[in-house]
Amino acid sequence: MQSIQMAFKSILGNKMRSFLTMLGIIIGVASVVVLVSIGQGANQSVSDSIQKMGTNLLTVNINTRRNNPINLERVKEMRTLEGVAQACPVSTSSGTLKAGLQQYEDGSIIATSSGYDEIRNYSLARGRFITEPDVTNRSFVAVIGQEVAEELFGSAQVLGEIFTWKGYPFTVVGVLNEIGTSMVGSGDNLIIIPFTVGERLFFRKGINSIYVSALSAENVSIAQESLKTYMDALMVGASSSNTYNIYNQTTALETLNSATATLTLMLGGIAAISLLVGGIGIMNIMLVSVSERTREIGIRKAIGATRRNILSQFLIEALVVSLIGGLIGLGVSVVATHLLTPVLKMTLTISPSIAGLAVCFSIAVGIIFGLYPANKASKLLPVVALRHE
Amino acid sequence: MIYMQDISKCYQMGSEKVHALNQVSFNIEDGEYVAIIGPSGSGKSTLMNIIGCLDIQDSGTYKLAGEDVSRYSSRKLAKLRSTHIGFIFQGFNLLGKLNALENVELPLIYQGVSRKLRRQRAEQVLESVGLADRMKHRPSELSGGQQQRVAIARALVSNPRLILADEPTGNLDTTTGNEIMDLFAKLHAQNNTIVLITHDQGIAKRAERSLQIVDGKIQHETYNGRDD
Ligand SMILES: Nc1ncnc2c1ncn2[C@@H]1O[C@H](COP(=O)(O)OP(=O)(O)O)[C@@H](O)[C@H]1O
Ligand SMILES: [Mg+2]
């Protein structure tokens, strides 16, 4: 208790130096906390955007072009499998759309069937989605995203308007609600057309990719199992075993999570080095302080201080400096994450475990790097220390 | 109180050996006021360090209050210093960052005395050396004489059995020095055991007895006779 008071006196007695010593710890702790929370924020926003896509989403990719047994009828059959809610064939392309003098270059064209809106949780602002008859009749109709609608037609009435792609005219039958931009790309640049029209215009026959939604997130593995059984039955007699794959979002999430976890670890590691440098700073200043205060140590010993008194005085001083530095660093990182949140467009939160860890680490740095100077001070012989000038 | 028999202390200076103390023997009784006088470099401070348990002799026997302290651990020596010995140094040796009161409290802190008692005792001692109105001043805000009074108060605060003063007037002018010496006379009158180290014959005369030390040896002893 007494030593803590003495430590504070000595720290306050040399404010500038104490602050400079703390600066190393402040920067170290702040960079650990901020960088780790950026890593965690990135992780969060990636998994958020995957979540947005739907955790009950499965994709079936067919790798054979020849003897592909999948057709539109089979995809409809998939909808009746156990655990499956919806299944749609998907084929994608991109290109430039024209409407009068307006042009839209960043279009992402998706050819699919009715039900795709359910799978992707799309909702319509106006009009209707692609229907079963659109697909069977090969109708040149399209459902477009907000951005497409604005760029091509401005604020004018959009439904019933016509745009052209590759010279073919499409009638707009629906506009999607705004989806927003996520890590996996913009959602408002979509042009959704009937699958059969896509087959013709993409010059790509057959179904190579099917989006399937499970009844619920809990049903994903059941749906995956029944899809596998179904596909295996269809693929009997196929020459290669690797004729199709089924992916679910959980696997994707896990892959991404492990990638961002590595990133977080790396950032944290780099920042930890700066905390270490801060610790060496403490040791350096403490050593200077010991040799500067040799006479003080001599006086204290002459009037009855034991080795332990001196050891704890210097150790507590190092500890208090690093603890205060750690707490200031934490404060700095709170401010920094608040300032960075709008810049990085992700929600940065400081997890209590990281905050606690960083402060504990700074205390450990104080003890480890304060021990040597404190021990050195305590071992000084009083006569030698008193002679020192 | 103090029993010294054939005390020697050598320092190695490069290749040369310096006999700072050479076979010194003397006794000091309880309540005595003794001056140790000698020219600079004669070994006075070395002697005081041994008496004050800051240093240990190379050979010979030193007993403080009947105890052979050469076998004490550094911890036990620290305890002994804080409870039995009050040091007064030539350069005052106050801690510049603490005020007068805090400086005086310091020995009691190391003895583990409670805050309230500590403060009470320190104030009382500072009053007795005439610094009642300077308690919150730092050493840099005090004159040399006042600083030495703080140092004396610090030496007295734990009621030591022995007061050791190494050239207490060395850094003071004659008038202030005399005031300090009057304070020592008062302490002696209160039955304190005092060992005073000086190179000044006039100062030494104010003690009951002087031991003259030259080149690490006691040359002769003078009884100044009591005033009464
Ligand atoms: N730590 C030391 N190392 C080397 N020589 C020392 C040391 N302490 C004292 N001496 C030498 O011992 C002699 C006596 O010193 P000291 O006791 O300080 O004398 P005084 O206090 O009478 O001036 C001197 O010659 C001094 O140089
Ligand atoms: Mg001397």
Side-chain angles (χ1 to χ4, degrees):
Chain A
M1 193 59 232
Q2 202 52 55
S3 317
I4 294 173
Q5 213 177 354
M6 280 189 209
F8 267 104
K9 263 207 177 100
S10 153
I11 289 163
L12 289 176
N14 213 329
K15 290 192 192 71
M16 190 60 191
R17 176 194 288 179
S18 305
F19 173 71
L20 288 177
T21 313
M22 279 175 200
L23 203 58
I25 298 292
I26 293 171
I27 292 171
V29 167
S31 50
V32 167
V33 173
V34 171
L35 288 180
V36 168
S37 62
I38 287 176
Q40 287 177 338
N43 186 355
Q44 192 59 47
S45 81
V46 168
S47 32
D48 278 353
S49 49
I50 288 172
Q51 222 92 48
K52 222 184 246 172
M53 275 161 58
T55 38
N56 47 2
L57 181 67
L58 290 155
T59 52
V60 182
N61 289 320
I62 293 116
N63 304 324
T64 51
R65 281 214 173 274
R66 264 179 291 161
N67 307 326
N68 183 350
I70 303 295
N71 54 35
L72 284 170
E73 285 313 306
R74 292 263 150 81
V75 175
K76 268 183 203 159
E77 252 174 61
M78 283 181 180
R79 296 177 182 171
T80 62
L81 295 175
E82 195 190 352
V84 174
Q86 237 343 324
C88 293
V90 171
S91 179
T92 59
S93 184
S94 61
T96 305
L97 317 182
K98 285 177 188 153
L101 293 172
Q102 299 301 321
Q103 204 159 305
Y104 185 71
E105 287 172 355
D106 308 317
S108 168
I109 301 160
I110 295 174
T112 185
S113 65
S114 69
Y116 184 73
D117 53 340
E118 286 166 42
I119 294 175
R120 303 300 304 264
N121 293 324
Y122 292 155
S123 60
L124 287 159
R126 268 162 286 169
R128 61 170 180 82
F129 200 69
I130 304 293
T131 59
E132 222 36 61
D134 289 337
V135 177
T136 34
N137 300 337
R138 292 193 173 85
S139 314
F140 279 74
V141 294
V143 174
I144 57 177
Q146 283 282 334
E147 190 183 296
V148 186
E150 257 158 52
E151 298 254 328
L152 284 181
F153 307 111
S155 54
Q157 166 67 26
V158 175
L159 293 183
E161 291 288 339
I162 289 173
F163 67 85
T164 59
W165 180 53
K166 288 186 173 175
Y168 292 93
F170 287 84
T171 310
V172 177
V173 294
V175 179
L176 295 173
N177 268 322
E178 192 166 339
I179 294 162
T181 312
S182 69
M183 290 285 262
V184 287
S186 165
D188 297 315
N189 62 345
L190 296 178
I191 299 100
I192 301 169
I193 59 174
F195 187 76
T196 44
V197 176
E199 263 186 319
R200 207 169 122 192
L201 299 191
F202 300 168
F203 305 113
R204 213 181 289 149
K205 266 241 164 272
I207 297 168
N208 285 37
S209 180
I210 305 157
Y211 277 37
V212 179
S213 65
L215 285 168
S216 68
E218 292 76 47
N219 274 309
V220 166
S221 47
I222 297 169
Q224 186 160 3
E225 230 9 79
S226 52
L227 278 170
K228 190 173 181 303
T229 319
Y230 182 79
M231 291 300 292
D232 280 343
L234 288 178
M235 293 294 182
V236 169
S239 48
S240 127
S241 60
N242 190 27
T243 48
Y244 75 95
N245 309 91
I246 304 173
Y247 295 104
N248 66 47
Q249 295 303 310
T250 326
T251 350
L253 207 61
E254 274 161 11
T255 317
L256 275 163
N257 273 352
S258 78
T260 48
T262 315
L263 179 83
T264 307
L265 209 65
M266 245 173 61
L267 289 174
I270 291 166
I273 292 171
S274 71
L275 199 51
L276 202 69
V277 173
I280 294 168
I282 286 196
M283 176 143 87
N284 183 26
I285 300 283
M286 291 300 291
L287 281 174
V288 170
S289 159
V290 167
S291 69
E292 250 181 19
R293 286 155 69 186
T294 302
R295 200 170 173 79
E296 176 192 328
I297 294 163
I299 297 167
R300 285 179 185 274
K301 282 198 158 183
I303 61 174
T306 60
R307 268 196 62 186
R308 241 177 95 178
N309 291 140
I310 302 292
L311 186 79
S312 61
Q313 182 189 340
F314 279 85
L315 202 54
I316 285 171
E317 216 173 292
L319 244 172
V320 168
V321 164
S322 58
L323 184 61
I324 294 176
L327 292 177
I328 295 177
L330 205 56
V332 168
S333 49
V334 168
V335 175
T337 47
H338 270 284
L339 294 178
L340 281 174
T341 296
V343 178
L344 295 177
K345 292 195 177 103
M346 49 168 100
T347 10
L348 296 180
T349 43
I350 296 172
S351 70
S353 61
I354 282 302
L357 202 72
V359 172
C360 286
F361 198 23
S362 70
I363 292 171
V365 161
I367 293 176
I368 291 164
F369 291 99
L371 208 53
Y372 174 68
N375 189 43
K376 201 177 157 184
S378 76
K379 275 188 178 156
L380 281 172
L381 292 172
V383 241
V384 177
L386 276 172
R387 270 189 170 269
H388 188 90
E389 201 52 71
Chain B
M1 177 97 242
I2 292 171
Y3 169 82
M4 283 210 159
Q5 189 67 49
D6 297 332
I7 295 288
S8 294
K9 180 84 188 175
C10 282
Y11 288 111
Q12 196 75 40
M13 289 288 273
S15 58
E16 223 179 313
K17 245 188 173 177
V18 180
H19 275 271
L21 290 177
N22 196 353
Q23 306 246 306
V24 173
S25 305
F26 63 85
N27 295 325
I28 294 172
E29 302 302 325
D30 268 353
E32 256 197 299
Y33 183 5
V34 178
I36 293 171
I37 179 166
S40 182
S42 55
K44 303 185 298 293
S45 294
T46 308
L47 185 57
M48 168 171 143
N49 288 339
I50 291 172
I51 296 172
C53 305
L54 291 170
D55 208 354
I56 287 167
Q57 69 276 16
D58 293 338
S59 65
T61 316
Y62 168 47
K63 286 184 179 171
L64 177 66
E67 298 266 345
D68 186 349
V69 295
S70 60
R71 296 224 172 75
Y72 274 30
S73 65
S74 74
R75 194 193 155 99
K76 246 180 138 181
L77 283 174
K79 181 116 194 289
L80 192 74
R81 282 196 296 269
S82 82
T83 54
H84 282 56
I85 302 164
F87 287 94
I88 299 157
F89 303 92
Q90 174 176 1
F92 319 134
N93 279 350
L94 299 171
L95 297 188
K97 281 172 193 149
L98 306 183
N99 64 30
L101 194 63
E102 291 165 335
N103 263 292
V104 175
E105 274 184 65
L106 215 51
L108 299 180
I109 288 176
Y110 291 124
Q111 284 172 35
V113 177
S114 80
R115 172 188 290 266
K116 213 179 125 199
L117 257 158
R118 226 159 58 203
R119 180 124 310 187
Q120 231 171 28
R121 176 78 188 127
E123 282 173 358
Q124 188 190 336
V125 179
L126 275 167
E127 267 165 41
S128 77
V129 298
L131 285 176
D133 53 343
R134 292 284 188 279
M135 293 194 191
K136 299 283 177 189
H137 288 60
R138 289 192 174 196
S140 57
E141 298 156 355
L142 296 170
S143 72
Q146 287 169 331
Q147 287 185 55
Q148 194 59 297
R149 280 165 194 271
V150 176
I152 291 169
R154 184 179 64 186
L156 294 175
V157 77
S158 45
N159 269 324
R161 304 184 59 174
L162 176 63
I163 296 166
L164 279 179
D166 190 355
E167 312 225 20
T169 58
N171 282 6
L172 303 174
D173 60 70
T174 325
T175 332
T176 330
N178 275 330
E179 281 169 30
I180 296 293
M181 290 317 295
D182 291 342
L183 194 56
F184 275 104
K186 195 175 122 194
L187 292 175
H188 179 228
Q190 289 163 2
N191 249 335
N192 286 294
T193 313
I194 302 171
V195 176
L196 181 95
I197 285 164
T198 183
H199 61 266
D200 184 330
Q201 200 70 48
I203 299 276
K205 277 220 169 71
R206 301 194 54 164
E208 289 175 299
R209 176 159 69 112
S210 351
L211 299 168
Q212 190 129 34
I213 184 167
V214 178
D215 285 340
K217 283 191 168 177
I218 304 279
Q219 285 244 311
H220 66 91
E221 230 178 301
T222 324
Y223 286 87
N224 299 324
R226 287 171 189 261
D227 293 342
D228 55 8

